[in-house]
Amino acid sequence: LIQVKGYVFDDTERKEAEEALKRSEEKYRRLFNEDLTGDFIATPAGEILECNPAFAQIHGFESSEEAVGSNISQFNTSDWENLITRLQDKGKIQDYQSWQVRPDDVKIHVVANVVGIFNDSDELIQVKGYVFDDTERKEAEEALRQSEEKYHRLFDEDLTGDFIATLDGKILECNPAFAEIYGFDTIENALKWNISESNPFDWPYMVTRLKSEGKIMGFQSWQRRSDIMRIHVIANLVGIFNDSGELIQVKGYVFDDTERKQAEEKLESGKQQISNILDSIQDGFMALDNFWNFIYVNQCAAE
């Protein structure tokens, strides 16, 4: 060998571009793997082609490798079919909510953003999705809804008249029993009324007491219903205060005590009438119990 003949060309730009591409791929691969959102690519039939660790964890797999090849449509078949139908029409779907059953039979609620990948013939060939596990929030929301329904049902079915009113007496909320007690045929009509009209003297007095005491138990009052009928009510009242300690609303629980009060007054009136008769006679009159104690003596007998 006496000579070497060679031909070289400057490959720097290509090599730098290749290195840049490699770094970019590594960067996005790292972002993909570290993303807490479950990212996946699947066929329209539901077969997982690629996914990150978060997706595997959300759906109960030990690794991405185990999740790849599984079928996402099996988690909720009707939901997946609906999703594919909508994707073919719209191309992408945001905030799609779904209850799913993982392979380990754990029920989860997920929220997904899904994008369709189409070929040149505009056929859906792949589904790219981003999901996160929303189970705790959804379960809390369901529990809250059930609790609200439960207490709303108790509120509506309560035989005591329950209400919330402003300080000047405007009714903000009430149950059917309250409407019936005050002579309304519907709750809507009761909400147009002002409870201070039932007794213009008692209401300001109760509000004044609430400001200092916070609550009033067993308050008795003669009032006028919306149809002017006179009723006797017993109320338990609680003040609702703001952060500054100012009374802003009144919450009350009332029941119609008219029959008992009328019977009590009638009995008292009868007793008074008998006393008046006995005191008016000229003869001495007295009554004794079985121990010979005086239980009634009229004026003449007393003298």
Side-chain angles (χ1 to χ4, degrees):
L1 179 67
I2 57 173
Q3 289 179 342
V4 176
K5 184 164 60 174
Y7 307 89
V8 299
F9 63 92
D10 188 350
D11 191 37
T12 308
E13 287 188 9
R14 184 198 65 79
K15 192 63 177 178
E16 287 178 346
E18 187 180 274
E19 288 293 327
L21 179 61
K22 181 180 177 183
R23 289 196 299 271
S24 177
E25 286 179 348
E26 288 177 351
K27 172 186 174 183
Y28 287 106
R29 172 60 63 179
R30 190 167 61 252
L31 288 173
F32 178 74
N33 287 332
E34 294 175 357
D35 190 2
L36 297 180
T37 302
D39 306 336
F40 72 93
I41 297 175
T43 65
E47 181 185 352
I48 303 297
L49 303 175
E50 190 173 353
C51 70
N52 66 350
F55 178 89
Q57 182 180 9
I58 288 171
H59 290 89
F61 297 101
E62 292 185 0
S63 65
S64 299
E65 291 74 21
E66 184 183 353
V68 170
S70 65
N71 196 306
I72 192 174
S73 69
Q74 295 177 354
F75 303 153
N76 188 324
T77 305
S78 60
D79 236 26
W80 181 258
E81 291 173 354
N82 178 52
L83 197 66
I84 295 301
T85 301
R86 288 181 57 186
L87 266 182
Q88 289 171 335
D89 179 44
K90 297 185 177 181
K92 66 178 180 180
I93 302 172
Q94 290 185 308
D95 296 328
Y96 187 85
Q97 298 192 30
S98 170
W99 280 105
Q100 299 183 354
V101 179
R102 304 189 328 185
D104 57 4
D105 291 330
V106 173
K107 191 176 181 182
I108 60 172
H109 186 268
V110 300
V111 179
N113 295 322
V114 184
V115 179
I117 301 173
F118 297 83
N119 62 15
D120 295 337
S121 302
D122 206 28
E123 294 176 322
L124 181 65
I125 56 172
Q126 288 182 349
V127 178
K128 184 162 57 174
Y130 312 89
V131 303
F132 64 92
D133 187 347
D134 190 39
T135 309
E136 286 190 12
R137 183 201 64 81
K138 192 65 178 178
E139 287 177 342
E141 185 183 274
E142 288 291 324
L144 178 61
R145 183 184 60 80
Q146 290 172 6
S147 177
E148 286 178 346
E149 286 179 356
K150 171 185 173 183
Y151 287 106
H152 201 279
R153 191 167 61 249
L154 289 173
F155 179 75
D156 286 343
E157 295 174 357
D158 190 1
L159 298 180
T160 301
D162 306 338
F163 72 94
I164 296 175
T166 61
L167 300 190
D168 59 5
K170 177 176 171 53
I171 303 298
L172 301 176
E173 190 173 349
C174 69
N175 67 348
F178 177 90
E180 183 179 356
I181 288 171
Y182 285 96
F184 296 100
D185 54 356
T186 64
I187 291 175
E188 289 72 24
N189 287 334
L191 293 175
K192 300 173 185 176
W193 186 59
N194 192 305
I195 194 172
S196 67
E197 296 174 12
S198 65
N199 190 322
F201 301 100
D202 268 2
W203 182 258
Y205 169 72
M206 288 190 291
V207 170
T208 301
R209 280 188 59 185
L210 279 175
K211 287 179 180 178
S212 60
E213 299 176 24
K215 64 180 179 180
I216 304 172
M217 305 291 289
F219 186 86
Q220 299 191 34
S221 171
W222 279 104
Q223 299 182 358
R224 295 283 181 183
R225 302 194 331 172
S226 58
D227 57 6
I228 316 300
M229 182 182 292
R230 191 166 178 258
I231 58 172
H232 187 267
V233 301
I234 298 178
N236 294 324
L237 304 170
V238 179
I240 301 175
F241 297 83
N242 62 17
D243 294 337
S244 302
E246 296 174 319
L247 181 66
I248 54 172
Q249 291 178 350
V250 176
K251 183 163 57 174
Y253 311 88
V254 302
F255 64 93
D256 186 348
D257 190 40
T258 308
E259 288 188 11
R260 184 200 65 80
K261 192 65 176 177
Q262 287 176 340
E264 183 182 277
E265 290 188 347
K266 188 174 181 181
L267 178 61
E268 188 61 34
S269 175
K271 286 182 179 179
Q272 186 61 46
Q273 188 177 15
I274 293 173
S275 294
N276 291 339
I277 293 172
L278 293 176
D279 284 340
S280 67
I281 62 177
Q282 298 302 312
D283 296 324
F285 177 85
M286 61 183 180
L288 308 172
D289 64 15
N290 57 330
F291 295 107
W292 297 91
N293 296 313
F294 289 107
I295 57 174
Y296 183 83
V297 179
N298 72 352
Q299 186 63 36
C300 186
E303 291 175 357

